[in-house]
Amino acid sequence: MLKKGLEYFPKNAYLIRSLVPKVYKHIIRRFYNEKHIPEEKYIATIRYIDRILEEMNRGEYSYIYLQHVDYLLAKQNANKEIASAYLQRLQGFSLSKDAYKNGEQSFPSPYEKWVMKTAKLQFELKEYTQCIKIVDEALKEKVSWHYHNDVWLLRLKARSLCFLGEMTDAVRIYEELLLKHPTWFMYREIAECYENIGERQKALYYGAKACLSRDAEPTKCGKLYAMMYEWLVESEEYMAFTHIAYIAEIHNKNNFHMDEKTKKLYECMCTKYELPTNIRRTLEQFWLHLIERMIPRHEGTICKLLPNGKAGFIEYGNKQKIYFKTSDVRFPKKLVQEGKKVTFFIEESFDFAKKQRSQIAQYVCEVKDERYHPKSPSMS
């Protein structure tokens, strides 16, 4: 009856507000939850709703559009252009910025969901300028961001700037992001930025930090190790080869398929060099050496551990003290104790409690640890 009424009174706001929720409940929601509704009927229903909402405030029904975009993107060989077009239907309309509350839990608002989906799709569709515009506009709004979405938006902006060739601006964003949220893939991305502007040593510095990051799962870092090989092969061939050897070790250990190019390169270099006894250990020492090329390594003594055992202070130099986390210690945690002599690097950090920049000791090693000594054991 409501649909019939709309035929006589198109654009009637009262009829539309009565009809759309009922259609959603009896067709769309049942399609998602029960799967008894044919896909053709669901698609026809979405198109019908989109048509009758023309020139009306689609923002009231953003949940229908956002769910439909999720459905489109979940399909095999998803058509991202169509998904993006549905998101564009909501642009210019007022979307709620109030987070959804469920007891003490808080979830993203319709506006936050729309921004995240739109920016990500525009980046994937290589619409970099539009992606940057969406991000800039969103970060001006007063939004309570969830799941560090403000961080991921800035990362999308930095990546878009890279593709537009604006490396300096991208580096500035990455450096600010890494101060608060150091992750291996953002270290890799800033390393690529520096390589693209011809600063190889800084590229290697950030590449090493990516390799040493706590969240750098070796099985996911094959492209990172291959990148390090490319940057090292002309100047330090043996260590470049060791990265390829590590890729081979990971593939063999996990029964992964290794592409023919990497396989042939590995076999060729095995005829020239001997494998290190412990490939990972050799690389870790080398990565620390790359960092030491850019910033000094300090030596000190653990002078205090906090009661929870998760952090403490190192005394070094002229009775100076620097904060460290036990998660940054690169030797067995059971050996972390007051009086322990260690080496470390001082890095910029961010104190979330005081909401200000600070410094922290990173890559904390035992003094007895072997330092990296350049060598190239050739086959005899």
Side-chain angles (χ1 to χ4, degrees), residues 52-279:
I52 66 173
L53 288 178
E54 191 176 358
E55 297 178 12
M56 286 196 64
N57 181 10
R58 289 193 177 103
E60 292 181 40
Y61 308 101
S62 60
Y63 59 93
I64 295 176
Y65 287 86
L66 295 172
Q67 269 190 307
H68 183 53
V69 167
D70 287 339
Y71 164 75
L72 291 172
L73 294 176
K75 291 173 70 69
Q76 191 173 11
N77 300 319
N79 191 319
K80 294 179 180 179
E81 287 83 0
I82 292 178
S84 180
Y86 272 101
L87 288 172
Q88 295 308 312
R89 302 276 211 284
L90 297 175
Q91 192 160 16
F93 293 107
S94 177
L95 299 178
S96 173
K97 298 181 179 67
D98 296 329
Y100 170 69
K101 302 284 186 179
N102 184 8
E104 294 183 0
Q105 289 185 300
S106 175
F107 299 93
S109 65
Y111 177 76
E112 183 177 357
K113 289 180 181 178
W114 178 80
V115 166
M116 294 306 300
K117 294 178 194 298
T118 302
K120 186 171 184 288
L121 268 177
Q122 286 177 333
F123 176 81
E124 291 173 355
L125 292 169
K126 301 182 180 180
E127 297 172 359
Y128 303 123
T129 302
Q130 283 298 106
C131 177
I132 291 169
K133 182 180 178 182
I134 285 288
V135 171
D136 286 342
E137 290 176 355
L139 294 179
K140 291 176 185 176
E141 300 287 345
K142 292 182 179 180
V143 177
S144 178
W145 298 102
H146 297 73
Y147 318 126
H148 300 302
N149 279 338
D150 52 336
V151 173
W152 307 129
L153 283 174
L154 277 172
R155 182 190 173 216
L156 280 175
K157 179 178 179 178
R159 295 181 73 192
S160 296
L161 287 167
C162 287
F163 281 105
L164 292 172
E166 299 178 34
M167 299 297 173
T168 303
D169 289 338
V171 163
R172 178 180 51 79
I173 293 172
Y174 276 125
E175 287 177 342
E176 194 65 30
L177 287 175
L178 287 166
L179 193 67
K180 300 179 182 179
H181 302 279
T183 58
W184 76 270
F185 48 86
M186 284 202 279
Y187 278 130
R188 185 198 66 195
E189 288 162 9
I190 192 174
E192 291 174 310
C193 285
Y194 275 117
E195 173 66 13
N196 286 331
I197 58 178
E199 296 195 37
R200 175 65 58 83
Q201 289 307 310
K202 281 190 176 180
L204 287 170
Y205 166 75
Y206 281 108
K209 288 173 75 68
C211 294
L212 288 165
S213 290
R214 293 193 300 273
D215 62 337
E217 169 56 46
T219 57
K220 297 179 180 179
C221 295
K223 290 183 179 179
L224 169 63
Y225 305 140
M227 182 179 78
M228 294 294 282
Y229 163 80
E230 294 290 343
W231 295 347
L232 290 163
V233 68
E234 292 181 2
S235 58
E236 298 175 79
E237 189 180 71
Y238 176 67
M239 291 314 302
F241 159 66
T242 308
H243 284 81
I244 297 299
Y246 191 41
I247 293 173
E249 182 179 82
I250 293 166
H251 280 65
N252 291 334
K253 186 177 180 180
N254 295 279
N255 294 317
F256 292 164
H257 171 74
M258 188 159 60
D259 65 88
E260 284 301 312
K261 181 181 177 182
T262 305
K263 186 177 180 180
K264 288 181 180 178
L265 179 61
Y266 172 67
E267 291 171 350
C268 177
M269 299 198 80
C270 277
T271 63
K272 186 175 182 180
Y273 295 112
E274 292 180 3
L275 286 172
T277 305
N278 186 323
I279 296 176

